Structure formats: structure tokens, C-alpha cells
Amino acid sequence: MLSSFKINKLNFKLVTKFLIIISVFLITCDFAHAEKNNIEKAEKHVSEMMVDIQFLLEVGKTNPDKGRELLNELLKKYFDSNLIAKFSSMPAWRKASNSEQNEFVSLFEKYLVNLAANRFNEFKNVEYVIAKTEQRGQKMLLVDGFIKAPGSKRDGTPVGWRLTLNKKQELKIIDIEIAKISMIVAQNDEFTAIIRQNKGKFSSLIDVLKKELNVN
Amino acid sequence: MHFNFFKNICLTILVSIFLSSCSANNSSNLSSIWDPIEPVNRAVFSFNMVVDTYTLEPLAKAYDFIMPDVASRAISNHFDWIKSPISALNSSVQGKHVEAFDSLVSFSINILTLGFYDLSGNNGLNNKEDFDQTLAVYNVSSGPYIVIPFLGPTTFRGISSNIIDGIIDPLNLLGTEKVIRLNSAELPIKALNTRAEYMDQINDLKYNSLDAYSVFRSVYFQRLLAEINDTENGNDNITNVNSGAIDAFFIQNQ
């Protein structure tokens, strides 16, 4: 009776250990698989966007209005303008009212199209080579690569794309790093300086954007 | 006389570094730029922008138009080459002995072409280290941000480091006066070449920003951080260091 109890106790311990090991193994495999999936998705996202950029640059050459329309679509498809707006205006964003935040996002999207139009020229007649993709934390991914344009000054310029998984588990770009200069950090410094110069009023940033975009 | 002069310079530098290291700011923090004399800096920046608009930019455009890309690249290589000995010395102080050795080898090989053509096959100097980066590696903080008329942005640590780099430059063995004369003669060409090289990027920041001053300042600090972490050329081994600072920005602001 006693020996059978000992065996049962031993078995129970063994089974528990075995189950724990299996669980840890499965969870690790699941994370690794999810990470691999995300990395593949991120690289595909950036590669497809590069193809779309080349297409819109071609269209934009002959038809600027159509090019701008395509640029709007491209931003919606590949970028998370809400999150970019939020990060660009932190920490003032937290103190802004909902209506101010909404108005700012709407203006910022237009401003972003203007900015992107200038930045995308960096990718005119060039090839983008992905060198490395890394998952950073649970939600963020960094696609790192460089511009391939033999004979051009831009050849070899490192360009990184920071992507994040949104609530719908879709990947969206939230930052571009050109030659290790993060556009969102530069944007945040600029917006913060504007707000600070106007006594910390978030509305002042909205006014500056309206003036820039000629919106009433 | 010479000894006293040298002693005064050394004292000034030591005091500068001490004051710089006492300051609370650290340049490796992307979100905290220390700019205590911002109104003065903004005024100097505006002056520099006027100088750029009416002299440097048009001259650089003409230079870019006349100068073939190969020649412009050769001039950049030459300026990198001339900095190789000081770069080797700083790499060595930072404990990067392999890079120090590479810089010395590259300098020695390229003496034949004065650096205009890179015989070592590296397409220019990849390892660019100065005393500013050396101090940063030893956790001396950047000190206040300063915009200097005609010369542009720097920090308190940057100014001190430039003086030290000038003094400890092994090229001084050729004669300090000669080196100063050479540097003075090359400075305008270097300014033109650099402005022409980054024409699109600088003009993009200058003309498409809502507040150009803060954007240039941000870019200056991000670039400095990338140089300190050796990630400016997309060095794979240490890319994470710089990106880590940007990751921190996103985490802080979530």
C-alpha cells in the first residue's frame, strides 16, 4: 500500500514535470513561430510599399494630382498616422482634449502627405535592400536596410522602417530612420519646441499646422 | 612662453571638461536636449541661415554642378584620410584597437595618393572617431548646445574636444603652424564639399520645417548619438544601441 502510494506520488511528480516542460516548449515554439511570422510580414509590408512608391513616383511625374492621391492611399495602407501624430506631439498630446486630438490628427495627415512627398524623393530610381529585421518587444519590428543606387550620393544610405502591430494585428509603419535619424524623434522635437514657445498650448500647434496648410 | 601658453590651454580644456561632465544632461538621451541659451542660439542660427542662403548654398550648387561626383568623392576621401591619425588615436583611447590599427594602415597606404583615392579598397574611412566621441564613451556629458556663427551647431564638450583634437593631432609632428595653415586653407573647400554632398537633405530640413532650428538641433543630437554608438554607417553589430535609444522614446511616450 505504502509502496504503491510512493509510486503514485513519484508518477505525479514526473507527469507534472513533463507537462511543465512540454508547456514551456510549446509556448517558446509559439513565440518563435509568431516572431518569425511577424518578421516575414514586416519584410513583405516594406517590400510591397517600395514597389508602390516606385509606381506612384512614376505616375506623379506625369500627373501630380494622381500621384498625390496615390500617396494618400499609400499612407493609409502602410502607415499608422494616428500613432505617428500621437508620438510626434507627446507629451502635450496627453493634455489635449479629444476634439483637439482629432483636429490635430486630421491636419497632421495632410501635413504628413506633404512631408512624405519630400521624403519619397529619396527613393527615386533606387533599390531598397533589406539587411535585417528584428522584433523589438511584443509589438514593434525594425526593418533595417540600405539604399542601393550605384554611382549616386545616396548609395549605401541606411534606411530603417519601424513597424507596429495594431489592435487588429495589422502591421503599420510608425517611423522612418534615414542615416540613423529618426523622423518621428525629429518631428517630436519640432512640435515640442513649437508648443513650448507658445506657453504649452496644444492649440498653438494646430494653428501653426493650419497656417502651413492654408486651412481656415 | 610656449610652455605657459600650452599650460593655459591644458587648464582651460580640463576646466571645460570638468564643467561639461558636471552638467546634468546626457546627449545619449534623445528626448532631453539641454539648450539653456536657446534665444541666443536661435539668433545665431538665423544669422547662419542667411549666410547659408546667400553664400554657401549658391556656391555649393555651383560647386556641385562643376565638380564631377568622382572628384567630390575624392575630396571627401582626402578629408577623411587627413583625420585618420587622430581617429586612430581616439579609437585607441576608446579601446577599439582593431579600428585604430585599420585607421593607421589605411593612412599609411593612402599616403601615396594623399587620400584622394583609397588604395585600401574601403571607399573612404569607415572609422571616424574624435575626442568628442571619446569623452562621450567615458560618460562625459555633452554640456549645453551651442550654435556658433558661421560654423554651426556644437556642444560645450564638442568645442573642448575640437581644441584637444587640434593639439593632440599626430600631424602636428610636421609642425603645428603648417597644420593650422593647411586646415585653414582646406576649411572653405571642406564646407563647400559637405554642403554640396548633403544639399538635398539640408535643404529639405531648411525649407520644409515648421521650426527649422529645433529640427536641425534634433538631427545634430541624433547624428552625434549615432556617431558615438558607431551606427552612422549602418554598422550591423551595434545598430541596436542607437535603435535602443529610439525604442526608449516610444516606450516613454506610450
Side-chain angles (χ1 to χ4, degrees), chain B residues 166 169-183:
Chain B
D169 192 342
L171 285 180
N172 283 330
L173 294 171
L174 299 172
T176 313
E177 265 184 40
K178 272 184 196 168
V179 174
I180 291 173
R181 227 180 294 154
L182 182 75
N183 283 339

Side-chain angles (χ1 to χ4, degrees), chain A residues 86-88 90-91 94 111 115 118-119 122 131-132 134 136 139-140 142 144 151-154 156-158 162 174-175 177-191 193-194 196-197 205 208-209 212, chain B residues 30-31 33 38 42 64 69 72 196-201 204-205 207-212 214-215 217-220 222-223 226 231-237 239-244 246-247 249-254:
Chain A
K86 182 189 156 188
F87 280 124
S88 301
M90 279 296 213
R94 284 199 194 107
Y111 178 67
L115 271 185
N118 295 317
R119 300 278 189 269
E122 299 277 327
K132 193 173 83 178
E134 269 182 7
R136 306 183 77 88
K139 285 183 177 174
M140 239 185 282
L142 191 70
D144 229 338
S152 154
K153 283 174 191 167
R154 280 175 263 160
T157 305
R162 191 174 291 268
I174 52 167
D175 191 18
E177 282 175 39
I178 300 175
K180 298 297 159 194
I181 309 293
S182 157
M183 295 299 124
I184 211 162
V185 173
Q187 195 64 76
N188 179 270
D189 285 332
E190 184 181 33
F191 285 172
I194 291 169
R196 208 181 47 240
Q197 281 183 315
L205 182 59
V208 170
L209 280 177
E212 175 73 13
Chain B
L30 284 171
S31 56
I33 293 165
E38 188 174 332
R42 277 187 183 271
D64 196 35
D69 276 353
S72 158
E197 194 177 347
Y198 297 104
M199 180 67 74
D200 293 342
Q201 293 89 333
D204 181 29
L205 299 180
Y207 297 116
N208 298 321
S209 302
L210 296 172
D211 179 31
S214 55
V215 178
R217 186 180 58 187
S218 177
V219 168
Y220 172 79
Q222 288 194 58
R223 187 78 193 152
T231 56
E232 72 272 29
N233 294 319
N235 187 337
D236 266 349
N237 299 328
T239 299
N240 297 350
V241 182
N242 193 31
S243 294
I246 297 170
D247 283 345
F249 166 83
F250 283 103
I251 292 162
Q252 272 169 22
N253 289 307
Q254 259 171 4

Side-chain angles (χ1 to χ4, degrees), chain A residues 80-98:
Chain A
D80 190 331
S81 49
N82 262 310
L83 217 48
I84 297 173
K86 182 189 156 188
F87 280 124
S88 301
S89 57
M90 279 296 213
W93 170 272
R94 284 199 194 107
K95 291 177 192 162
S97 66
N98 278 343

Side-chain angles (χ1 to χ4, degrees), chain A residues 103-104 106-107 110 203 206-216:
Chain A
E103 191 179 6
F104 174 68
S106 153
L107 288 166
K110 288 173 191 150
S203 57
I206 295 173
D207 293 338
V208 170
L209 280 177
K210 277 181 177 170
K211 199 178 162 192
E212 175 73 13
L213 298 163
N214 290 323
V215 177
N216 291 319

Side-chain angles (χ1 to χ4, degrees), chain B residues 138-196:
Chain B
Y138 288 102
N139 290 326
V140 175
S141 72
S142 63
Y145 177 70
I146 301 163
V147 184
I148 300 177
F150 299 105
L151 297 177
T154 184
T155 59
F156 200 65
R157 187 185 65 202
I159 297 171
S160 322
S161 305
N162 271 339
I163 299 168
I164 295 173
D165 274 338
I167 293 169
I168 60 172
D169 192 342
L171 285 180
N172 283 330
L173 294 171
L174 299 172
T176 313
E177 265 184 40
K178 272 184 196 168
V179 174
I180 291 173
R181 227 180 294 154
L182 182 75
N183 283 339
S184 310
E186 288 192 333
L187 189 67
I189 305 165
K190 193 176 181 181
L192 267 183
N193 199 57
T194 310
R195 183 65 174 92

